[in-house]
Amino acid sequence: MNIEPLHPTLGAVVHDVDLASIGPSTFEHIEQAFYVHGVLVFPGQRLTNENHLAFSRMFGPLQKRTTYARDKERIDSDEIADISNIDANGMLLLPDSRQRAMNMGDRLWHTDGTFQQVPSMISLLYAAEVVPVGGNTEFADMRAAYDALPASERQEYENLVLVHSVYRSREQVGFTEFNEHIQQLRPPAQQVMVRVHEKTGRRSLYLASHASHIIGRDVRESRALLRRLIEFATQERFVYSHRWNAGDLVMWDNRCTMHRARPFDDLRYRRIMQRTTVLDSANSVEKALAAGRKLELGPVEFRLGMVPSLDAPIT
Ligand code: OGA
Ligand code: MN
């Protein structure tokens, strides 16, 4: 096994390892490298669903898939999410399909599963079929971004709590057609704005396009701040852009990175990916409180189009 960094602070490629058959000592090396680099790329893999699941489970229990129908022959487990642009019959998604609208949300900078009470800890994305142009995945180092903030800002954000909803990121790409029933299936969740990594002790900004607002702050003001921080954290110096080859498995630590899909001609080319996701052990607010941190708590509410009305009529 041979580990080669891809970027000054984020990401490394791991050569000469077959993820279909790794022993405990190799696993230990991988785990250590993962905590240092935040993103690991394993090129040239040939994984069955069972191999993908088995490697992923070495990091902890997996979350059940929440995405739409998948091709049952290709994906035979409800712990594998279909991150592709094809439907259950292997056809390209139609321009106006709900699934395609849902996928568009992944083109915004985000962290997986922050809208869940127990968020996603590690994502492992495996590429079966790639596109000739575009379709990179970009990763941002939220540890380095946090460290680069002025001390006064780091202090200002330390106790803040964000409300996240999957419908907030979808609202931002113009997908708002969710009835009451669908909205109730995925209620909003609260997460700390500054996360402390359990294994390394490092602090990170914990942001995502799922984040709606800061608890206890004006919604418009918090949205402007969240936008500014996402821009800050995704400057080129903090970003590694992954160009996919078929057979790549890329795993990232959702506790200290953000990512986004880059555009490609999804109405023309098939891009076939599948993801397993290791669940965190608890909500980040609960963990922080248990560790003795003081947080600014309040109601965890989200509605599509939520903004307080102003004090004067439209003239
Ligand atoms: C994901 C994701 C980005 C991509 O699988 O969680 O955001 O490039 N994927 O497909
Ligand atoms: Mn994602």
Side-chain angles (χ1 to χ4, degrees):
M1 199 169 87
N2 162 18
I3 297 175
E4 174 200 345
L6 290 161
H7 173 276
T9 65
L10 181 72
V13 57
V14 186
H15 300 286
D16 307 321
V17 60
D18 177 4
L19 296 180
S21 60
I22 61 167
S25 88
T26 308
F27 175 72
E28 223 168 272
H29 277 98
I30 291 174
E31 200 181 16
Q32 289 313 314
F34 184 56
Y35 294 133
V36 173
H37 299 288
V39 176
L40 292 181
V41 176
F42 300 89
Q45 303 297 317
R46 284 184 63 107
L47 303 180
T48 62
N49 287 339
E50 205 35 62
N51 297 151
H52 189 180
L53 289 164
F55 175 61
S56 307
R57 285 195 189 108
M58 297 178 94
F59 294 89
L62 305 184
Q63 81 186 36
K64 297 256 188 278
R65 132 197 107 76
T66 49
T67 47
Y68 288 63
R70 78 276 186 209
D71 172 351
K72 293 200 176 57
E73 278 181 28
R74 184 164 50 86
I75 295 180
D76 60 8
S77 162
D78 62 2
E79 291 176 331
I80 299 180
D82 188 0
I83 313 293
S84 71
N85 63 330
I86 56 175
D87 67 15
N89 302 311
M91 305 299 287
L92 288 171
L93 294 173
L94 295 173
D96 297 327
S97 65
R98 286 187 74 86
Q99 166 89 68
R100 179 166 186 263
M102 201 70 192
N103 289 354
M104 284 302 158
D106 284 346
R107 294 194 185 181
L108 305 181
W109 282 108
H110 67 282
T111 303
D112 289 333
T114 57
F115 48 82
Q116 298 160 186
Q117 167 71 6
V118 177
S120 309
M121 182 164 76
I122 303 170
S123 299
L124 302 99
L125 186 60
Y126 178 59
E129 220 174 297
V130 299
V131 294
V133 266
N136 278 23
T137 305
E138 291 182 343
F139 298 91
D141 189 338
M142 305 304 280
R143 311 166 295 190
Y146 177 84
D147 290 347
L149 285 171
S152 59
E153 281 191 57
R154 292 201 300 261
Q155 200 178 347
E156 182 186 340
Y157 307 143
E158 176 70 16
N159 300 340
L160 299 183
V161 175
L162 303 178
V163 175
H164 293 250
S165 168
V166 69
Y167 304 114
R168 174 62 190 147
S169 50
R170 272 54 198 176
E171 181 176 46
Q172 292 188 63
V173 290
F175 185 20
T176 54
E177 292 168 39
F178 301 101
N179 64 28
E180 280 301 315
H181 170 71
I182 291 179
Q183 289 186 53
Q184 279 163 14
L185 291 177
R186 300 211 241 170
Q190 59 180 352
Q191 308 291 352
V192 291
M193 186 157 159
V194 174
R195 259 200 98 141
V196 183
H197 198 290
E198 296 85 355
K199 302 281 180 175
T200 64
R202 287 190 72 181
R203 279 177 158 68
S204 300
L205 281 172
Y206 192 47
L207 304 173
S209 296
H210 312 306
S212 166
H213 58 277
I214 300 164
I215 290 180
R217 297 278 176 104
D218 180 80
V219 173
R220 293 184 183 88
E221 188 188 335
S222 31
R223 287 184 177 176
L225 173 59
L226 290 170
R227 177 76 68 95
R228 180 168 73 75
L229 288 175
I230 288 178
E231 281 170 10
F232 177 82
T234 57
Q235 296 170 74
E236 212 176 306
R237 62 185 162 134
F238 301 130
V239 171
Y240 163 65
S241 182
H242 185 67
R243 167 100 210 118
W244 289 93
N245 288 306
D248 286 350
L249 181 133
V250 178
M251 63 183 292
W252 61 89
D253 192 335
N254 286 298
R255 294 168 287 193
C256 58
T257 61
M258 275 199 303
H259 62 279
R260 66 171 174 179
R262 298 299 283 154
F264 66 100
D265 191 347
D266 67 304
L267 300 175
R268 178 165 174 202
Y269 297 116
R270 287 152 54 105
R271 180 177 187 262
I272 303 186
M273 314 268 230
Q274 61 182 50
R275 194 191 77 202
T276 54
T277 317
V278 180
L279 265 181
D280 211 328
S281 53
N283 179 268
S284 62
V285 169
E286 287 171 16
K287 285 192 190 190
L289 292 173
R293 283 174 66 190
K294 301 275 176 287
L295 298 173
E296 293 182 26
L297 300 170
V300 183
E301 287 168 352
F302 175 77
R303 288 180 314 284
L304 288 165
M306 115 186 246
V307 270
S309 51
L310 299 175
D311 66 359
I314 299 170
T315 53

